[in-house]
Amino acid sequence: MTCPTCNHQNLPDAKFCAECGGALKAGCVSCGATLTPNARFCHECGTPVAGAAPRSKPAEPSSARKVVSILFADLVGSTALHERLDPESTRRFMETYYDVARKAVESHGGKVTQFLGDGVLAMFGIPQVAEDDAIRAVRAGVAMQEGFKALADKQRDAIGETGLRVAINTGEVVEKSGTDIIGDPVNVAARLQDRGGNGDVVIGEATQRLVSEQVTLELLGKFDLKGRAQAVEAYKVISLEPPKNTALAPFVGREKELARITAVYDQAVDASSTRMGVLLGSAGLGKSRLIGEFSRRSSVTASVIPAHCDAAKGATFAPLADAFRKHLALDADASTDELKAAVETVLSKDDDQKRITTGIVGLLNGLPASPEETFFVIRRFLAALTTTQPVVLIIDDLQWAEPLLFDLVEHLVQWGNELPLFILIGARPELREIRSAFGKSGGFVTDVLTLQGLDGSASMKLAAGVIGTDELPATVAAKVLATSEGNPLFISELIRMLVVEGALIEEDGEWRAGENLASVEMPPTIHALLASRIERLEPIDRAILERASVIGRQFSRNAITALLPNDPTEIDARLEALQRAELIERGTGWYIGDPVLRFHHVLIRDAAYRRLLKGTRAELHAKLADWIESQVGDAQEHDETIGRHLEDAHRLLGELGPLDEAGEKLGERAATRLASAGRRALEADDVPLAAGLLGRALERLKPDDPDRADLCIDWCE
């Protein structure tokens, strides 16, 4: 804290200057803005208050494989438009059209990367992937059509029947730098818009899988697109409302957690004093589902106000402003007089009605007052609501909030001694890093509840409930349990994907496993969720996870250090942080002589691995094999591990193009190691293992390699 008289730097909680004795006023050391008593950051410029942890910087973009959503828009009838209008009039119309497109994209968190004559190309997921890229792209497409329709209606006499087609496609691309991407999904998006009509938003199959439960769609059919060998399935967006048959997954296995949340709520009501509960859990563990169930049950006796922080950030107080609007049943286009009337109804008995009304109306209009005033009016507005019944204020995904919103929550708890107010926070484990006081019970937090995966019984009950049956086939149940590890979202999405892929088939009212059960990969919804979480990490944390993914589900600190030549002390600190974020955890046993670490979930490992370019994967696999050899020498028990990494390096390089001499050498080394492990398995009469290892060794050798003859004999045996 800086003294306004002599500019001496004082301790954050000092009341008087240690140099001149003058009274201190909390002010930002960079811009001088007045700070709230508990502020960690300046609300104007973001500078940390002395003694506070620095604000985490967003991860820098890097060259990687990413799943992005591409939006392509193109005018219909533009040739006639250019013929009919004066060139200057055409230019003015096109500039307005571009503005409409850009606003629609940017308002939903996307980025326009190119204007291609009459076309617009936009990306969602560049430079940073988010789990909701696909649905934001769809909403942007609908907003673009609505904006263009208003423009076309206004200029109908001049432009005639000019229309707009929009297409969205999702898929894996390689990001070279910034918005420069390469991949088939871009071409498909451009071709898909030809299948729509004027005013349509057409989406590809991959996008459909990601948004089908959030918007209403209509199947257009399967189409052969120019230049593509495989046909593409296309859908048209009917509305942004969820399909009528969408139902919540069964609520199972969370009664104990629900009871703990309810107990904190009961304390707030019984003591007529503000209480706060924090619910922590990794992506997909069911925080929002549990919060929704508590909200449904508590709404009988309380006013429930749910707010949600957006990954795309936005205005600091926007989550609460949106929540208050919905609670007051106000439309997005409500006039200031309508806002004022609604707020005054709540504040009819408050002595500061005019002041609070002005502040809340400004908040709802996106023009909040100073932080101190905003804190005051929000607290008094909630106090007014509690005069009729208790209030439950829910803020989900708080890890995405701006620092000042954290300060507001603390303020509400500390100054709500006479209010029957329960504040329920939902967040991911990284909240402990962002604001440690919110991650532990005591102080202003009454209880912190950390969600774990469901047990086997609850997992199977949930899985069966997704498709409305009582029991799953044994092979399907085993795959779901092994892959999901009790994560409710993963269970639900995996079951739905098994049905879509024909790996779970209903016949005569009975469900059975399909032949392709073993080959079904991670559902796109799960990949988007985990990929976005990894994308938001600091570059060093992301690099550690990516290298750990090359090693496997289990790895060690020394193996990471061998692949990432950073300061080992820095790596130790980041490994601890990744454990607190529940991305990795300590395992049991040893990896090449070191204590084992493991991914918190196998699908986190898969998502991190898929980010890496194939060339980078090959390089890291080869480097890891060399490191293991340097650690274990000729110890034969490591032949299979070393052979697997050499095999992966050789295979990946082969997928990228013709192999050079160094690439061929990797294959020969892989074959030697795998063959050695296979022959030992054969000596031990482990025939299935031997057959697999010897067969893999054969695949690594060229057709004319002289070592193939002996290998074939052993493999045939």
Side-chain angles (χ1 to χ4, degrees):
M1 193 173 293
T2 306
C3 175
T5 303
C6 67
N7 291 324
H8 180 72
Q9 296 292 315
N10 296 273
L11 295 174
D13 56 353
K15 301 294 189 296
F16 300 94
C17 178
E19 184 71 22
C20 68
L24 296 176
K25 181 179 180 181
C28 175
V29 296
S30 293
C31 70
T34 301
L35 305 178
T36 56
N38 298 314
R40 266 66 168 178
F41 302 90
C42 174
H43 66 279
E44 292 291 340
C45 69
T47 300
V49 172
R55 186 200 298 260
S56 178
K57 295 181 180 179
E60 299 172 3
S62 59
S63 181
R65 299 175 74 97
K66 295 183 177 183
V67 175
V68 303
S69 292
I70 300 106
L71 182 152
F72 191 89
D74 191 37
L75 291 179
V76 180
S78 59
T79 302
L81 174 70
H82 287 282
E83 179 184 9
R84 186 166 52 251
L85 292 184
D86 178 83
E88 187 174 345
S89 298
T90 303
R91 181 180 64 83
R92 289 183 178 181
F93 171 76
M94 294 300 294
E95 288 176 350
T96 308
Y97 154 54
Y98 289 155
D99 285 341
V100 167
R102 184 186 292 107
K103 288 177 182 177
V105 169
E106 293 179 353
S107 66
H108 289 86
K111 183 177 182 63
V112 173
T113 58
Q114 273 185 298
F115 290 113
L116 308 166
D118 299 335
V120 177
L121 179 64
M123 304 286 176
F124 292 78
I126 298 293
Q128 190 173 75
V129 172
E131 61 203 60
D132 58 348
D133 284 330
I135 187 61
R136 288 189 292 108
V138 171
R139 289 170 180 157
V142 172
M144 191 182 294
Q145 286 288 16
E146 292 173 348
F148 184 82
K149 184 178 184 302
L151 170 65
D153 288 345
K154 187 176 180 181
Q155 300 190 26
R156 183 67 61 194
D157 292 342
I159 67 171
E161 296 302 316
T162 304
L164 182 69
R165 296 179 298 202
V166 176
I168 297 158
N169 190 45
T170 302
E172 192 171 59
V173 300
V174 172
E175 178 195 17
K176 294 175 63 179
S177 61
T179 57
D180 186 7
I181 67 171
I182 296 175
D184 179 59
V186 182
N187 300 325
V188 173
R191 302 285 186 223
L192 277 177
Q193 57 89 22
D194 292 334
R195 300 298 172 177
N198 179 19
D200 287 346
V201 176
V202 178
I203 67 173
E205 185 176 2
T207 309
Q208 179 267 340
R209 290 186 179 182
L210 290 164
V211 305
S212 60
E213 293 187 7
Q214 298 168 278
V215 297
T216 302
L217 304 171
E218 176 186 300
L219 176 64
L220 291 178
K222 208 162 190 175
F223 302 101
D224 292 320
L225 302 183
K226 184 179 179 181
R228 296 194 89 251
Q230 294 183 335
V232 174
E233 209 166 65
Y235 298 78
K236 182 171 72 173
V237 178
I238 301 301
S239 81
L240 294 180
E241 296 297 319
K244 293 181 179 179
N245 58 354
T246 301
L248 286 174
F251 183 74
V252 298
R254 297 297 191 201
E255 291 298 338
K256 290 182 180 179
E257 292 87 345
L258 183 61
R260 280 180 60 179
I261 295 173
T262 304
V264 182
Y265 165 69
D266 290 340
Q267 289 182 38
V269 175
D270 295 342
S272 192
S273 181
T274 300
R275 296 288 186 271
M276 177 173 160
V278 177
L279 181 61
L280 296 178
S282 299
L285 278 177
K287 297 183 301 298
S288 298
R289 182 70 178 89
L290 179 55
I291 288 172
E293 187 65 20
F294 170 75
S295 174
R296 185 183 67 81
R297 299 188 187 188
S298 62
S299 63
V300 178
T301 58
S303 296
V304 179
I305 305 176
H308 182 267
C309 299
D310 197 322
K313 296 293 185 180
T316 298
F317 299 111
L320 289 183
D322 292 341
F324 290 165
R325 270 184 176 273
K326 291 178 182 176
H327 184 74
L328 296 171
L330 292 165
D331 295 331
D333 57 353
S335 66
T336 298
D337 288 341
E338 290 173 321
L339 299 179
K340 184 177 178 182
V343 174
E344 286 178 344
T345 301
V346 174
L347 302 170
S348 58
K349 299 179 182 179
D350 197 297
D351 295 336
D352 290 317
Q353 183 190 81
K354 184 176 180 180
R355 176 184 175 186
I356 301 169
T357 299
T358 300
I360 295 296
V361 169
L363 178 71
L364 298 180
N365 278 328
L367 300 169
S370 67
E372 295 90 340
E373 183 68 7
T374 300
F375 284 20
F376 172 79
V377 299
I378 289 177
R379 174 167 57 85
R380 291 291 293 272
F381 179 72
L382 292 171
L385 290 173
T386 63
T387 59
T388 55
Q389 60 181 347
V391 171
V392 174
L393 175 62
I394 297 170
I395 308 179
D396 201 3
D397 280 325
L398 189 69
Q399 76 278 353
W400 288 328
E402 294 291 347
L404 200 59
L405 190 56
F406 287 94
D407 298 338
L408 170 62
V409 173
E410 290 186 25
H411 173 86
L412 292 175
V413 177
Q414 292 169 348
W415 290 86
N417 293 331
E418 298 179 358
L419 303 180
L421 171 65
F422 174 45
I423 301 175
L424 177 58
I425 300 299
R428 296 182 182 174
E430 44 263 46
L431 181 70
R432 299 188 183 104
E433 295 290 312
I434 299 169
R435 189 67 69 94
S436 60
F438 280 63
K440 56 188 177 184
S441 301
F444 59 87
V445 180
T446 307
D447 192 13
V448 175
L449 193 159
T450 302
L451 284 185
Q452 304 296 332
L454 297 174
D455 61 29
S457 175
S459 295
M460 287 301 91
K461 186 176 180 181
L462 173 61
V466 171
I467 54 175
T469 187
D470 296 326
E471 190 175 2
L472 292 175
T475 52
V476 174
K479 181 176 180 67
V480 171
L481 282 175
T483 306
S484 69
E485 298 184 14
N487 185 300
L489 176 66
F490 297 177
I491 292 170
S492 300
E493 293 301 318
L494 187 58
I495 288 292
R496 293 187 181 102
M497 183 153 182
L498 292 177
V499 174
V500 170
E501 296 290 336
L504 183 56
I505 304 168
E506 184 181 19
E507 290 181 348
D508 301 325
E510 298 289 332
W511 290 90
R512 67 171 180 84
E515 296 179 358
N516 61 333
L517 176 63
S519 62
V520 174
E521 297 183 348
M522 185 194 316
T525 45
I526 299 176
H527 180 253
L529 183 73
L530 297 177
S532 67
R533 192 176 178 200
I534 293 170
E535 186 90 359
R536 293 178 185 282
L537 296 173
E538 296 291 334
I540 177 63
D541 293 344
R542 201 166 54 229
I544 287 174
L545 280 188
E546 289 169 351
R547 279 143 187 82
S549 73
V550 171
I551 301 167
R553 175 72 189 273
Q554 297 189 346
F555 54 94
S556 70
R557 176 260 198 192
N558 285 343
I560 293 289
T561 305
L563 299 180
L564 190 66
N566 284 54
D567 181 356
T569 304
E570 180 185 22
I571 291 178
D572 288 338
R574 300 324 306 159
L575 287 172
E576 289 293 333
L578 290 170
Q579 288 181 66
R580 289 192 294 272
E582 296 185 9
L583 288 164
I584 65 173
E585 61 193 17
R586 295 195 180 278
T588 57
W590 302 84
Y591 183 89
I592 318 297
D594 298 310
V596 160
L597 294 167
R598 66 198 295 269
F599 281 93
H600 187 69
H601 197 289
V602 67
L603 296 181
I604 297 174
R605 183 262 172 186
D606 294 346
Y609 190 73
R610 284 178 63 170
R611 267 189 53 85
L612 290 167
L613 300 178
K614 287 186 176 182
T616 305
R617 293 181 208 169
E619 179 184 343
L620 291 172
H621 278 297
K623 188 175 182 180
L624 181 63
D626 291 341
W627 176 79
I628 297 174
E629 284 183 334
S630 72
Q631 300 298 303
V632 303
D634 295 328
Q636 292 183 337
E637 62 267 27
H638 296 285
D639 277 342
E640 183 178 353
T641 300
I642 296 171
R644 174 172 59 83
H645 288 294
L646 292 169
E647 173 188 31
D648 286 342
H650 181 257
R651 174 181 51 79
L652 288 163
L653 289 176
E655 292 175 0
L656 292 175
L659 291 168
D660 58 14
E661 184 178 348
E664 296 288 4
K665 186 66 176 177
L666 288 173
E668 294 169 6
R669 290 174 61 196
T672 300
R673 289 286 187 174
L674 293 172
S676 175
R679 284 167 177 148
R680 283 198 311 280
L682 190 60
E683 291 171 2
D685 291 330
D686 190 344
V687 177
L689 176 60
L693 289 167
L694 293 168
R696 287 161 57 193
L698 278 168
E699 291 177 0
R700 294 307 116 201
L701 295 176
K702 293 187 293 184
D704 59 350
D705 193 297
D707 291 335
R708 290 183 64 88
D710 289 340
L711 261 178
C712 282
I713 293 172
D714 292 333
W715 184 57
C716 289
E717 184 178 336

